[in-house]
Amino acid sequence: MISIGPGDGALTLRTGVAGRASRTGHSLTIGFDAWRADIAFDGDTPVSVALRVDVDSLQVLSGEGGLTPMTGPERLVARANALKSLKSSAFPEIVFRAGGVSASGDGYRLSGDLTICGVTEPHTVDVAVDGSTVSGQSAVTQTAFGIKPYSLMMGALKVADEVVVTLEASVTVS
């Protein structure tokens, strides 16, 4: 088994904006400072993956778009709103467990369960392997996990329901 975390790469989440006033909002790039993926192998073949993310480690890295550039204090407000939407005090971890790993193209397809805010749903992620670099991205629909996307102005500006999670890491298999 090997483990990877923030020292090996980045786990990020990208949001979009929706609603009639979407031009005024920022699309966010959010990073997580505390996460760990444990990958179990049978010989050289991965057979399971378990990813745990500490929700409180969420940091708003940037905000693109909007009427004005996003400021530091606005990033802090966005972080607080994201933690509230994710109910981080009640559900401090996001967990993905893939017991099904199959070869797919230039990498693997991970099939398992994703748990966010105490709700577990089946989820599949395709990861590419290029030398020692593993990368993948997956769309997640917030409402499928009981998350109400943050909104302002009676819903005229809101975070898009679908967010995209991206992982890129260096993995050394010994």
Side-chain angles (χ1 to χ4, degrees):
M1 178 171 329
I2 63 167
S3 296
I4 59 172
D8 304 300
L11 179 66
T12 57
L13 181 146
R14 182 131 168 90
T15 71
V17 290
R20 293 185 316 277
S22 62
R23 292 184 346 175
T24 65
H26 295 95
S27 294
L28 303 178
T29 300
I30 294 171
F32 294 92
D33 294 339
W35 58 273
R36 178 182 168 140
D38 294 319
I39 307 162
F41 290 85
D42 181 5
D44 290 338
T45 305
V47 293
S48 69
V49 176
L51 171 69
R52 293 186 169 280
V53 181
D54 177 355
V55 176
D56 197 49
S57 74
L58 177 154
Q59 299 297 322
V60 177
L61 303 176
S62 66
E64 290 83 37
L67 296 176
T68 60
M70 186 173 228
T71 64
E74 288 174 319
R75 282 196 300 277
L76 292 175
V77 169
R79 178 183 188 275
N81 291 333
L83 291 174
K84 184 177 177 182
S85 291
L86 289 168
K87 305 170 194 152
S88 66
S89 59
F91 305 103
E93 283 189 322
I94 296 170
V95 177
F96 175 63
R97 292 183 193 279
V101 179
S102 57
S104 174
D106 61 348
Y108 297 93
R109 173 162 284 169
L110 312 177
S111 301
D113 292 319
L114 177 61
T115 303
I116 305 173
C117 293
V119 176
T120 302
E121 292 288 334
H123 197 74
T124 301
V125 179
D126 289 319
V127 295
V129 179
D130 183 9
S132 64
T133 301
V134 174
S135 61
Q137 72 176 29
S138 182
V140 175
T141 304
Q142 297 181 74
T143 53
F145 294 91
I147 300 168
K148 181 180 180 201
Y150 179 77
S151 68
L152 291 170
M153 302 182 295
M154 298 187 304
L157 174 61
K158 56 188 168 184
V159 174
D161 193 12
E162 184 177 278
V163 298
V164 177
V165 179
T166 303
L167 171 70
E168 186 160 332
S170 294
V171 178
T172 305
V173 179
S174 45

